[in-house]
Amino acid sequence: MRTRLRLLAPLMLSTACASVSTQTPESPAVPAKSPARPFGTLREQAERQQAWLRERLDTAIPQLMRRSGVDMWVIPMREYNEDPVFKALAAPTTFAARRRTIYVFFDRGPEKGVERLALGGGSQGGVFVPRRSERQVDRGGANRQAELWGPDQWLVLKQVIEERQPRSIAIDVSRTFAFADGLSHGEYEGMAEALGPPWTQRFKPAEGLAVDLLAWRVPDEVRFFEDETKLAWDIIGTAFSRQVITPGVTRVQDVEWWMRQRLTDLGLDTWFQPSVEVQRQGATEASLGDNPIIERGDVLHCDFGVTALRLNTDTQHMGYVLREGETDAPAGLKAALATSNRLQDIVFEELRPGRTGNEVLRTSRQRMTDAGIDGTVYSHPIGLHGHGAGPMVGLWDRQEGVPGNGDHTVMPNEWFSIELQATSPVPEWNGQRVRFALEEDVVLDAQGTVHWAWKRQTDLHLVR
């Protein structure tokens, strides 16, 4: 997703756009998997997500803690000020931390495994063991342990730590990775005051641990991601067709809002406002303005993401509006798309486990230059966040590399959006240079093999 600022003009949806908005009313008679529910009911989705959560904690946490040399990881947070890693720890029925929530992971060794404790916040569907206060309260005649709240939680945390005697205590503080900097200053002060110097001296940043847990994907998430990516393709294919675009009538913002509305009609969401851009023979970006009418002969570009079951896609495609009498796009435009495909091939081949994002960028750009391609590479991880946890592979304005974020290492079980552009002269446009920006999601499996989440665009979408 390439961020850009736009002035939103008043929206007047064309008749063509309105005609394809097909919201299906909710009804018990609607099958679980229908056009209105492409991924099943909310309950079915939640059951699938809960299985992902359990598998992620069972498989990823032990491996990542041992790789990081961490035997205890403490993650405190308060309601509506959640640590970014909360997305990788919370059940699908949990939308925020409960008052204060403190998650504790303690590695008891390969035989006993990693203990998972929740000091407040509940068990998250049985994947954590709740630890409650010893203080008793009367609830309707039943004497029960009180839910942890306030200073009690820090005292119980100290007790948990003293019982287990960890060599080190990982906490989420980082000046490099936002995903690993979730421990707020107030929570740090409260924890440090309660634990005292003997334990705070064992604090260590959990940078790689937090980043890689968020990036870690399990096999069934990959199967779902293929279906989610197919849906993104289907929506783009309809958006870049006569079902939505009437040349000479439809504006780019009509298409953007149709795409977003389509997701809402399907009960889904997006993580950024869809964008559509026009390139036109003889015109500049400034002359086209912010919300041009789409005309015949225009080159179209879109940037679009789907959010479903907390997972995100990120896709950029190119289209062409046929002129009267044309049955295909001009050869020069098709050649420009092929050049961008070649740059995709290069980044795809260079994206390997064990390499840093900056190494992938450097080798890709060298091969791009050797191939005579005028392009830019700005790829990124994707998953629980759109611009996800993991190594950056360039930024559009940082082609020399990204210190810190680009120095993190690619790992198996991780997803990336291969995002880039190549600019090519088009003979049919009197040599005018046209920018072909593409973005497709890829998956690294457990062995580190890379494959497209669905496929990649090799033919222009044609608006007839």
Side-chain angles (χ1 to χ4, degrees), residues 62-88:
Q63 292 185 43
L64 295 177
M65 287 183 67
R66 289 163 194 163
R67 191 175 73 185
S68 300
V70 168
D71 57 349
M72 179 173 281
W73 186 15
V74 178
I75 310 170
M77 65 194 81
R78 282 178 286 179
E79 190 170 15
Y80 306 132
N81 191 27
E82 288 78 20
D83 190 302
V85 82
F86 179 73
K87 280 192 173 185

Side-chain angles (χ1 to χ4, degrees), residues 132-179:
R132 301 187 183 277
S133 171
E134 295 180 358
R135 181 169 58 89
Q136 300 292 314
V137 294
D138 184 69
R139 293 182 179 177
N143 209 23
R144 301 179 182 176
Q145 284 187 314
E147 182 175 355
L148 288 175
W149 172 239
D152 283 357
Q153 289 172 278
W154 299 127
L155 297 178
V156 174
L157 174 62
K158 185 176 183 180
Q159 183 181 9
V160 165
I161 291 173
E162 288 176 342
E163 290 170 353
R164 288 155 181 79
Q165 295 290 312
R167 296 184 301 275
S168 62
I169 301 172
I171 57 174
D172 291 348
V173 292
S174 175
R175 298 183 66 180
T176 302
F177 301 100
F179 296 109

